[in-house]
Amino acid sequence: MSNSAYLAFETGGTKLVAGVAGPDRRLIETRRLYRAPNDTAAESFRSLVEMGRALNAFHTAKGLVFRGCGLGFGGYVRRSDQRPLANLHEPGWEEIDVAGILEKEFRIPVRVENDCKVAALAEAHFGAGRGYRTVFYMTIGTGVGGGIVRDGRIVEMSDVGEAEIGHLVVLPDGPVCACGNRGCVEAVCSGPGLSQLAAWLADREPQLLKASELHPVEGGSIGGKDLMRASSQGDAFAAKVIERAASCLASAVAAAISLLAPEVFVVGGGVGSGNPAFVNLLREKTEPLVASCFRGQYSIVSSQLGEQVVTQGAAILAAQEK
């Protein structure tokens, strides 16, 4: 219907987003808040609902009729009852009946899914994955996650998800991950992970750090953005950290390609799509590790939808029939 609309929500490591999509499922407005470090899940959810109320009232007054609601959740989701299971960066979500509350509030069907899965959906429909049958999306930001889309729909392989590429172990003696394992992709390649990888490498090659412009570092931590910048300017220590991160990530990406044979592998998130040189390095290091029969059969590209990718995917999910 020409007046159909969809509510879309996103909650992640740092931000809360509410949006409205029109009948073509493309976003027409978004509103955003940034979480305070000590915010609780209940506070974050309350903020999302309040933004949704305002958007609902404004666009209903303009004649739009809301048909569905989607939420891209920054953590694990139990699909059978649409309940968040865990968010490694903000505990407490598992205690909230997100779908039930949203359905009661807005009186429309609600679907809840992991943020990376809906981001994959968005890229497959409107972004870098458009025109491909099988799309693997990976985000590299506060955390690292993944999602698979086949023929325009999220591939569901279990009740609690799949494609968790961020928790493949690529450096067994590496830094501890938020999930409890050591040396996961997320622990060495996410924004915070690059800082951890720098500390790990500095312990093993202190002289290399001493010769770097990044030494000494106030507070004892080197930020991911500083590492990317210094690496691009020829700093040997930073370049070694970034190269090691790309090598670790390539191991995981190659495994995903060899197992799932996606036609396109889309890299998003602040660390991913925000650093083209890093994506190029990832591309170079991945190809030799892929099973020979799949070499040349895939592309590794940057996300096209940027910061709106999760909210856009949530809108598409809201419009799809289960």
Side-chain angles (χ1 to χ4, degrees):
M1 297 183 184
S2 61
N3 65 342
S4 294
Y6 304 93
L7 273 175
F9 295 106
E10 171 188 352
T11 175
T14 58
K15 65 182 178 181
L16 305 169
V17 185
V20 173
D24 62 356
R25 303 167 299 162
R26 290 185 181 271
L27 291 172
I28 56 178
E29 183 182 356
T30 58
R31 299 184 184 184
R32 176 177 307 181
L33 291 174
Y34 286 93
R35 290 179 43 246
N38 59 346
D39 279 358
T40 65
E43 289 169 330
S44 292
F45 185 55
R46 191 179 307 118
S47 295
L48 279 177
V49 173
E50 288 173 358
M51 286 193 290
R53 280 194 197 117
L55 287 169
N56 181 72
F58 179 77
H59 288 279
T60 296
K62 293 176 66 175
L64 292 181
V65 178
F66 285 90
R67 308 289 182 184
C69 172
L71 168 64
F73 175 67
Y76 302 108
V77 173
R78 187 168 56 219
R79 289 165 170 154
S80 56
D81 61 5
Q82 295 287 281
R83 291 289 292 259
L85 275 181
N87 181 325
L88 299 180
H89 309 287
E90 186 181 29
W93 281 96
E94 65 278 6
E95 300 172 6
I96 303 173
D97 181 11
V98 168
I101 294 170
L102 291 176
E103 286 178 353
K104 185 177 180 180
E105 174 71 34
F106 298 109
R107 301 181 184 278
I108 51 178
V110 174
R111 297 186 67 183
V112 182
E113 183 55 274
N114 170 265
D115 56 354
C116 292
K117 280 53 170 177
V118 297
L121 195 61
E123 288 291 344
H125 282 257
F126 299 140
R130 191 172 187 179
Y132 296 98
R133 290 193 69 192
T134 307
V135 179
F136 194 115
Y137 173 85
M138 174 179 65
T139 184
I140 316 173
T142 305
V144 178
I148 312 163
V149 168
R150 173 77 171 173
D151 293 333
R153 299 186 72 90
I154 296 169
V155 173
E156 298 183 7
M157 295 182 178
S158 83
D159 193 31
V160 296
E162 57 288 311
E164 288 295 337
I165 194 169
H167 297 291
L168 293 180
V169 175
V170 291
L171 192 63
D173 64 339
V176 175
C177 181
C179 74
N181 286 334
R182 185 177 288 276
C184 293
V185 168
E186 184 169 302
V188 296
C189 298
S190 65
L194 288 175
S195 297
Q196 293 187 147
L197 182 61
W200 180 88
L201 186 62
D203 285 342
R204 287 152 181 80
E205 299 192 43
Q207 295 305 315
L208 191 60
L209 176 59
K210 287 182 180 179
S212 169
E213 69 164 80
L214 300 174
H215 177 79
V217 180
E218 292 183 11
S221 177
I222 304 173
K225 289 182 180 179
D226 290 333
L227 285 161
M228 289 288 186
R229 175 190 53 77
S231 175
S232 68
Q233 295 172 352
D235 183 278
F237 174 78
K240 190 158 188 176
V241 173
I242 298 305
E243 183 176 8
R244 189 63 177 266
S247 294
C248 289
L249 188 58
S251 295
V253 170
I257 291 170
S258 294
L259 285 170
L260 300 167
E263 296 160 87
V264 64
F265 204 104
V266 182
V267 185
V271 176
S273 60
N275 295 283
F278 183 69
V279 176
N280 288 337
L281 185 60
L282 172 63
R283 196 178 291 120
E284 293 171 9
K285 290 186 173 293
T286 298
E287 182 73 1
L289 303 178
V290 173
S292 58
C293 58
F294 296 122
R295 291 177 190 162
Q297 304 301 309
Y298 66 90
S299 300
I300 298 176
V301 300
S302 294
S303 164
Q304 291 181 357
L305 299 181
E307 290 191 354
Q308 288 194 324
V309 65
V310 174
T311 314
Q312 177 62 80
I316 297 169
L317 184 71
Q320 288 184 335
E321 294 183 5
K322 291 185 180 180

